[in-house]
Amino acid sequence: MINSVRNTVLSILNKNNYGYISPADFNLFAKQAQLDIFEDYFYQYNTQINKENNRLGRLSGTGYADIKKGLEEVLDSFSVTSFLTRVNANNYSLPLDYYLIDKIFYYPTQLATGTTTSTTAGKLNNVDANFSGVINIGDIVVNTTDSISAYVTAVSNTSLTLSADIIVTAENYAIYSDTNITEVERVNQNKIFYLTNSNLTAPTTQYPAYVLGGATSTSIGNNITVYPSTISGVADVQTQYVRYPLDPKWTYQTLTGGQPLFDQSQADYQDFELPLSDETDLVISILKYAGLSIREADVVQAADAQQKMETIQENT
């Protein structure tokens, strides 16, 4: 889709000799345009929820006309589940690409830890382990080096077959039972002091809590602190979150006849992650940024007017 969007943008700009935008500038505009549309999905979703709560649900159809369902499908495509990396004590680092934390889970039953002794695709091998009778199919293996996980699909004495290939070299792992998983409740920073200092409301391993905090001297990005402090295993905590879309990048070969030639085989190529139905919105948004860049008010005004018209249509 990214090449189609760029060709359309350039065609509109060049039609009236407004100017040319370089691949580098286009990629910057494309990134911002995708973020704008991505964030607007949450506002659209909120609008549909409010309509239902205000007994205006009849304005949202069913089947193919179910707007809320369509928005949910788009947002779900950015939903990710990941175990968190422990920074220190009961402090865990959130993924750098997270946009919105949906849920935090605590895995209370750690069955085994260790380091793999050999590498086989889709397996965890440890000649020093004894998995039989301890690990069951469905238990969760976490590569604590990379914070990625997979399910156990078969068990032998010194080897586990996994649902995904998460072991690359000799790496550390932790194995957790898939039972008794507990959701961790989020509380505000100004409340955690009173909660932890009351025998009645203090968080427990059955009813844990967490607060969101900023970066520390040993981590980049936001962290969470989980209570009680006994929750401190290297992979005790998992998050389900909505990630940011990957930055789009239009890649090209060496200039041909003075023009870059589109080449999606480049290692850093990245298409838009939005649905194909958003192509028109992407073109309009990129034109708006391009118009600002080349100081053409006509381009900005035309793109802005089209954007407002589509917004009105979506909200009526």
Side-chain angles (χ1 to χ4, degrees):
M1 180 167 64
I2 192 169
N3 191 47
S4 175
V5 169
R6 184 174 184 274
N7 287 340
T8 304
V9 169
L10 292 183
S11 177
I12 295 172
L13 290 177
N14 291 336
K15 182 176 181 180
N16 295 315
N17 296 317
Y18 283 125
Y20 170 81
I21 56 175
S22 67
D25 284 342
F26 172 80
N27 287 332
L28 290 174
F29 302 153
K31 174 184 176 181
Q32 190 58 51
Q34 180 173 246
L35 284 174
D36 290 343
I37 296 171
F38 170 74
E39 292 186 341
D40 188 55
Y41 270 106
F42 292 90
Y43 290 102
Q44 292 182 49
Y45 187 71
N46 184 61
T47 298
Q48 295 302 316
I49 295 294
N50 287 336
K51 284 181 179 180
E52 291 185 358
N53 292 339
N54 293 330
R55 297 185 179 179
L56 295 175
R58 63 185 183 278
L59 297 180
S60 181
T62 59
Y64 293 129
D66 191 338
I67 298 174
K68 178 185 170 184
K69 180 180 178 182
L71 294 170
E72 287 176 341
E73 289 178 353
V74 175
L75 296 177
D76 283 345
S77 68
F78 294 96
S79 180
V80 179
T81 300
S82 175
F83 279 85
L84 300 183
T85 301
R86 187 173 69 93
V87 179
N88 52 53
N90 56 328
N91 190 263
Y92 293 82
S93 177
L94 291 172
L96 294 177
D97 64 344
Y98 94 92
Y99 173 80
L100 177 71
I101 297 298
D102 186 12
K103 291 181 173 64
I104 298 290
F105 299 102
Y106 165 53
Y107 284 70
T109 309
Q110 187 181 92
L111 302 174
T113 60
T115 303
T116 57
T117 54
S118 63
T119 303
T120 304
K123 288 194 173 186
L124 184 157
N125 301 317
N126 186 350
V127 296
D128 299 319
N130 185 5
F131 296 129
S132 297
V134 178
I135 310 301
N136 298 304
I137 294 174
D139 289 337
I140 301 165
V141 175
V142 184
N143 179 333
T144 57
T145 303
D146 300 321
S147 295
I148 52 179
S149 62
Y151 293 97
V152 176
T153 59
V155 180
S156 68
N157 194 35
T158 60
S159 179
L160 301 176
T161 303
L162 308 178
S163 61
D165 188 11
I166 63 170
I167 306 296
V168 179
T169 58
E171 293 176 313
N172 297 326
Y173 65 84
I175 306 175
Y176 291 84
S177 171
D178 66 340
T179 59
N180 301 322
I181 301 169
T182 305
E183 184 173 349
V184 187
E185 179 186 3
R186 178 177 177 176
V187 296
N188 295 328
Q189 288 277 5
N190 60 348
K191 292 182 179 180
I192 194 63
F193 173 80
Y194 300 103
L195 288 178
T196 55
N197 282 276
S198 168
N199 291 330
L200 295 176
T201 62
T204 66
T205 53
Q206 287 184 313
Y207 301 98
Y210 78 94
V211 294
L212 184 65
T216 68
S217 60
T218 56
S219 69
I220 301 173
N222 287 330
N223 300 316
I224 63 169
T225 302
V226 185
Y227 297 89
S229 59
T230 52
I231 300 177
S232 58
V234 292
D236 282 1
V237 180
Q238 183 191 60
T239 180
Q240 180 183 352
Y241 68 100
V242 177
R243 65 172 176 83
Y244 279 102
L246 299 175
D247 294 346
K249 187 167 186 180
W250 187 85
T251 52
Y252 58 94
Q253 293 179 0
T254 306
L255 297 183
T256 301
Q259 295 294 329
L261 180 64
F262 178 57
D263 181 13
Q264 66 181 39
S265 66
Q266 299 287 333
D268 55 347
Y269 165 75
Q270 176 60 53
D271 201 356
F272 291 109
E273 290 199 289
L274 298 177
L276 190 60
S277 58
D278 284 324
E279 182 169 346
T280 301
D281 291 334
L282 287 167
V283 170
I284 294 170
S285 186
I286 292 172
L287 281 171
K288 188 175 179 179
Y289 287 112
L292 290 171
S293 176
I294 62 180
R295 299 182 181 179
E296 285 291 346
D298 290 347
V299 177
V300 177
Q301 291 171 2
D304 193 45
Q306 183 64 33
Q307 207 168 41
K308 289 179 180 177
M309 184 184 302
E310 292 200 357
T311 301
I312 292 173
Q313 291 175 345
E314 290 172 352
N315 294 326
T316 56

